[in-house]
Amino acid sequence: MSVSTAASAQTVCRNISGGLPVLGRDVTVPLVTGGEVTYAALDYAASAPALQRVWDDVAAYAPYYGSVHRGAGYLSQLSTDLFENARRTVAEFLDCRADDQVIFTRSTTDSLNLLARAIPADCQVFVFETEHHASLLPWQDARVTYLNAPRTPQQAVETLERALADRDPYGPALVCVTGASNVTGELWPVRELAAAAHAHGARIVLDAAQLAPHHPVSIQDLDVDWVAFSGHKLYAPFGSGVLAGRADWLVAAEPYLAGGGASRKVTRREDGGVAVQWHETAARHEAGSPNVIGAYSIASACKALTEAGFDTLVAREQHLITKVREGLAEVPEVRILSLFGDDAPRVGVISFVVDGWNSSHFAAALSAEYGIGVRDGLFCAHPLVRTLLGSDPQTQGECGAPEAAPGEKSLNAIRVSFGAGTPDEHVERFVNAVRELVTDGAKWQYRTEDGRCVPAV
């Protein structure tokens, strides 16, 4: 069959100085001031553009699409093989242990909700307030201890150690931690946190949504029990994610979804009911017809990043990070948000506020007047952003300012994020636009519409 041959024939661009080829790199957008400009996509932390390699691989497979695990026909068998090979590719990408399971989900959020359903009934969960909502909120039905934001990596480890040592009663425990913050981009001391968790008889799950697209993630080297990430942040579209790690809790738990695929055998009981034997493989938590294109696109992205070489990709991204941070540092009105300080290692995610500007207004001006797409708000990490901005209220009533509850400050920030597909010109245009907006102000008038700041027409 020619699909795997066609897929392997696709090559990753070696001109890393300009980034890996991504879809939409040449898209032009209109400016409110007139004319058009090539769109600068600087919101990778929300959804990274798909790699051209991924799109080409999916296009090569699309004519051969068939239902996975459901048929004896050639296309169904081919799709099943592709789906299971994708599972193996992800396991290699994450350096999984031999007995780990790789489960395809819809996203990081879905993966962590699945794990939350699988933890033992008496399990206690420990999570820092700094987490994205995907890893902060799924544990509502468990006994949860929320830990305050640390100000150094060492403080994070010490805070966790104290909390684990003081837990009562002493029983099963799970620590959930991010690998890289979706707000500050700072890397967390995952290996040290894993060692602390295991020393106190706890397990640990790594939210790698912001880490996996930027750095290699090895389950064995980091010594974590599970890893969760999303395809749409790993340059792969189509709404797929991964939960990979230890099988015992997953096999012991009831299926995340009940239905075909998860069930191994279904019979009628004498009392008229239905008896079910569930699979003990990853299929146990993959009920329904799986998203084979999504799984294949994740595998393609994993291969593309591996072939490009993370050493090269990390070095180039650090070049872009330096360019952005040094450029923003030259604008006194800009304050970059950080937990661990300027010297902390980080990925290409930077959040900041600008004196005299509501962040929604500033982001709207970047888009409408410069063709630059960034994010503004609280980034689905409300406790963290509120902690970082607690002493910096922004003027309420200004364009785009979110409504605040009585007695509560109105807070939001701006986030710029980039990665393997970002050309130098995009970050240079961004830095110049920030400087120009702060110095000269917006060229256009803006108004609030449905809670968003938009150009006044």
Side-chain angles (χ1 to χ4, degrees):
M1 142 65 208
S2 60
V3 172
S4 59
T5 303
S8 62
Q10 303 297 333
T11 57
V12 179
C13 176
R14 295 300 174 181
N15 183 22
I16 301 297
S17 61
L20 295 178
V22 295
L23 294 181
R25 188 161 171 170
D26 299 322
V27 168
T28 59
V29 294
L31 303 179
V32 293
T33 51
E36 292 186 341
V37 67
T38 302
Y39 183 66
L42 297 178
D43 194 16
Y44 276 46
S47 285
L51 289 173
Q52 185 67 52
R53 154 74 175 271
V54 173
W55 195 258
D56 291 344
D57 282 356
V58 169
Y61 161 64
Y64 301 91
Y65 173 78
S67 185
V68 176
H69 302 149
R70 297 294 190 273
Y74 180 78
L75 298 192
S76 179
Q77 293 295 307
L78 180 71
S79 296
T80 298
D81 185 59
L82 213 68
F83 185 73
E84 294 304 331
N85 280 332
R87 201 188 304 276
R88 286 187 281 273
T89 296
V90 171
E92 293 173 3
F93 181 74
L94 295 174
D95 189 26
C96 287
R97 297 164 291 251
D99 55 352
D100 282 342
Q101 288 189 352
V102 173
I103 299 172
F104 286 115
T105 66
R106 293 179 298 175
S107 60
T108 305
T109 302
D110 195 37
S111 296
L112 292 171
N113 274 272
L114 189 165
L115 184 60
R117 287 277 299 275
I119 62 176
D122 56 346
C123 184
Q124 187 169 358
V125 178
F126 296 83
V127 57
F128 286 93
E129 68 170 349
T130 47
E131 294 293 309
H132 185 282
H133 293 172
S135 47
L136 186 73
L137 301 181
W139 321 105
Q140 298 297 310
D141 293 333
R143 293 186 296 123
V144 189
T145 298
Y146 296 104
L147 307 175
N148 292 335
R151 288 298 180 167
T152 67
Q154 181 60 33
Q155 188 179 85
V157 177
E158 293 171 351
T159 298
L160 179 62
E161 287 180 330
R162 286 194 300 270
L164 289 171
D166 292 342
R167 76 182 191 271
D168 183 33
Y170 192 90
L174 177 69
V175 177
C176 182
V177 67
T178 188
S181 171
N182 78 302
V183 176
T184 67
E186 293 163 316
L187 298 178
W188 276 63
V190 176
R191 189 179 292 102
E192 292 81 0
L193 290 167
H198 293 152
H200 291 277
R203 295 190 179 190
I204 184 168
V205 56
L206 170 64
D207 175 354
Q210 299 296 340
L211 183 62
H214 304 274
H215 283 264
V217 175
S218 167
I219 282 182
Q220 296 193 66
D221 181 55
L222 295 173
D223 196 22
V224 295
D225 298 282
W226 292 278
V227 167
F229 70 87
S230 295
H232 71 99
K233 299 184 192 298
L234 195 77
Y235 311 101
F238 310 117
S240 279
V242 167
L243 175 67
R246 301 198 182 279
D248 55 350
W249 285 7
L250 299 172
V251 171
E254 289 294 305
Y256 183 47
L257 297 173
S263 54
R264 184 166 173 265
K265 182 179 180 181
V266 180
T267 58
R268 290 294 299 275
R269 298 195 306 258
E270 290 185 1
D271 64 3
V274 172
V276 184
Q277 291 182 12
W278 304 105
H279 279 294
E280 295 190 356
T281 63
R284 185 183 188 88
H285 297 289
E286 292 178 342
S289 296
N291 181 358
V292 59
I293 289 181
Y296 184 46
S297 68
I298 287 179
S300 174
C302 291
K303 290 179 180 178
L305 293 173
T306 300
E307 291 171 11
F310 269 107
D311 288 346
T312 302
L313 294 174
V314 169
R316 181 175 181 277
E317 185 172 313
Q318 290 304 312
H319 159 73
L320 297 179
I321 291 171
T322 299
K323 196 182 279 275
V324 172
R325 288 179 61 85
E326 289 182 350
L328 294 180
E330 294 175 357
V331 184
E333 293 83 355
V334 170
R335 180 170 76 86
I336 296 176
L337 306 183
S338 176
L339 273 175
F340 300 153
D342 291 342
D343 296 331
R346 64 193 72 236
V347 300
V349 179
I350 299 168
S351 295
F352 62 97
V353 291
V354 183
D355 288 346
W357 284 81
N358 172 269
S359 295
S360 182
H361 186 192
F362 200 88
L366 284 173
S367 174
E369 300 179 26
Y370 298 91
I372 299 171
V374 298
R375 181 64 55 115
D376 68 276
L378 299 175
F379 318 128
C380 291
H382 293 187
L384 171 57
V385 179
R386 291 183 184 280
T387 294
L388 296 173
L389 295 181
S391 60
D392 293 297
Q394 297 189 9
T395 304
Q396 297 187 37
E398 189 179 350
C399 179
E403 293 184 6
E408 186 179 75
K409 297 172 182 176
S410 177
L411 305 171
N412 61 351
I414 307 154
R415 184 182 70 191
V416 56
S417 53
F418 40 86
T422 306
D424 285 40
E425 185 274 327
H426 287 184
V427 299
E428 291 164 0
R429 193 198 318 170
F430 165 75
V431 170
N432 290 334
V434 170
R435 185 181 299 112
E436 192 170 296
L437 281 173
V438 170
T439 302
D440 302 331
K443 301 180 182 69
W444 205 260
Q445 294 296 314
Y446 295 81
R447 60 185 175 84
T448 300
E449 181 179 291
D450 296 328
R452 296 294 307 165
C453 188
V454 298
V457 179

